[in-house]
Amino acid sequence: MLPVLFQPVVRTLALRRIARADRSDGDAARLLSVLEQTIRHVRSPEEAHWIGRIEALRGELRASGKPVAITDYGAGKPGMHLTEEQMRQGRIVRRTVGAVCRDSSKHPFWAFFLFRLIREFKPAVCVELGTALGISGAYQAAALALNGTGRLITLEGAEALATIARENLARLGLDTVTVVPGRFQDTLAGVLAGQPTIDYAFIDGHHDEQATIGYFAQILPQLSRTSVMIFDDIAWTAGMKRAWRTIVGHERLRTVADLGDIGVCLSADGTVPKHQYTIPLG
Ligand SMILES: C[S@@+](CC[C@H](N)C(=O)[O-])C[C@H]1O[C@@H](n2cnc3c(N)ncnc32)[C@H](O)[C@@H]1O
């Protein structure tokens, strides 16, 4: 799907909403400014250099006809209604690297949004659920490299994809990333146990209502005071819409923004007034 954000009118409306939005809380204001910078493509020469390298790699991957056999532990496509047991067992899917890249890797706009979030909030420990070929991982890791601090742990169920992602990240010289193969159901608890706190989490795999709520509940106790959580495909199915509504209601999340496909939450203590934004971008 082509993101709606290509339509200038959507961008203009989003910028207008951002300009009028309540900025009374400092962290909420920082999130709004990240969004604005993303829409306006604000980047320094060093940032542009990293993004250029990652996008050149994306171009190669998109064109690749190399076959890859993937064990998919996700929720499939809308309408598939896989049971928990079917998702637990996984399905073997045969594709090409190019097809995986075109269908699964985050669009450059959203990948740049993640990059800007990390540049702004400077998280120390970042977790990603859903690596695929490592494109969003590369954006996030490049932002950490430019910050000069922080590391990323990214989880991927399909061993074949985890291997390709590792190669891609190594080619870019991004060595602060750990790719953890295996189902989130089996790996997330161990990853969390090895970290004192989590400052940033991007949930981009297993778009199932109960699974999404479950991963949120697992990560929540370890969130640092000001942390960032991003959920992909929050409007993908009725179940994902319900999952998002459940998540945004949690009292530890003091700023929540519904951006259409993606939802972003900032945690803080309960004394900070809740800020809720709807800024549809795609
Ligand atoms: C949308 S892709 C991730 C794209 C990546 N974040 C990017 O933008 O470059 C989602 C990935 O999550 C993985 N995944 C889905 N459900 C999973 C599960 N239950 N356990 C482990 N991996 C899972 C899939 O294999 C797939 O590669």
Side-chain angles (χ1 to χ4, degrees):
M1 182 184 78
L2 269 183
V4 185
L5 62 99
F6 278 133
Q7 299 166 10
V9 66
V10 174
R11 288 171 51 159
T12 307
L13 286 175
L15 287 170
R16 223 175 262 167
R17 278 192 191 207
I18 292 167
R20 290 194 195 126
D22 175 0
R23 285 168 189 260
S24 56
D25 173 69
D27 287 333
R30 288 166 76 193
L31 174 61
L32 291 169
S33 110
V34 165
L35 253 182
E36 182 176 352
Q37 289 173 359
T38 306
I39 295 169
R40 294 191 190 283
H41 299 286
V42 174
R43 61 194 70 187
S44 69
E46 296 96 319
E47 291 173 343
H49 177 70
W50 267 111
I51 292 163
R53 291 184 64 215
I54 300 168
E55 288 305 321
L57 173 64
R58 186 203 294 266
E60 268 182 48
L61 296 170
R62 281 177 69 91
S64 168
K66 187 178 161 190
V68 61
I70 299 164
T71 310
D72 185 346
Y73 298 106
K77 292 188 167 35
M80 280 177 86
H81 304 300
L82 299 177
T83 63
E84 202 176 315
E85 180 55 21
Q86 285 171 317
M87 292 187 276
R88 202 186 64 74
Q89 297 225 336
R91 300 168 297 123
I92 304 282
V93 184
R94 290 176 203 287
R95 311 204 61 198
T96 63
V97 168
V100 174
C101 188
R102 291 189 294 273
D103 294 348
S104 303
S105 304
K106 273 264 124 309
H107 183 277
F109 175 85
W110 289 120
F112 182 53
F113 175 60
L114 302 174
F115 177 94
R116 287 256 64 93
L117 277 173
I118 290 186
R119 292 290 278 146
E120 173 61 35
F121 287 93
K122 303 203 170 19
V125 182
C126 306
V127 173
E128 174 181 68
L129 270 63
T131 319
L133 300 168
I135 291 293
S136 60
Y139 269 86
Q140 293 163 111
L144 293 170
L146 287 165
N147 287 350
T149 180
R151 60 209 156 81
L152 171 70
I153 306 161
T154 177
L155 282 54
E156 173 52 54
E159 294 264 356
L161 294 183
T163 302
I164 298 172
R166 265 195 214 104
E167 289 164 7
N168 289 336
L169 293 161
R171 266 181 70 186
L172 292 166
L174 293 165
D175 55 9
T176 53
V177 190
T178 308
V179 181
V180 179
R183 293 181 311 184
F184 306 149
Q185 299 92 313
D186 302 327
T187 55
L188 181 59
V191 165
L192 295 175
Q195 307 306 319
T197 52
I198 302 293
D199 308 298
Y200 171 102
F202 175 39
I203 317 296
D204 186 23
H206 206 176
H207 300 311
D208 169 75
E209 177 182 4
Q210 290 312 321
T212 301
I213 295 171
Y215 300 136
F216 169 66
Q218 248 181 302
I219 297 170
L220 187 72
Q222 258 173 281
L223 289 181
S224 52
R225 189 188 167 280
T226 302
S227 54
V228 186
M229 283 192 96
I230 307 107
F231 293 87
D232 189 41
D233 280 329
I234 57 168
W236 198 54
T237 56
M240 284 301 288
K241 287 181 188 170
R242 284 193 298 271
W244 173 244
R245 283 198 296 275
T246 303
I247 289 165
V248 300
H250 198 282
E251 59 162 19
R252 279 217 43 208
L253 303 180
R254 306 313 296 167
T255 299
V256 297
D258 175 341
L259 307 178
D261 282 347
I262 279 195
V264 191
C265 313
L266 304 181
S267 70
D269 67 42
T271 59
V272 176
K274 193 138 184 160
H275 285 65
Q276 239 168 311
Y277 305 106
T278 303
I279 304 171
L281 276 166

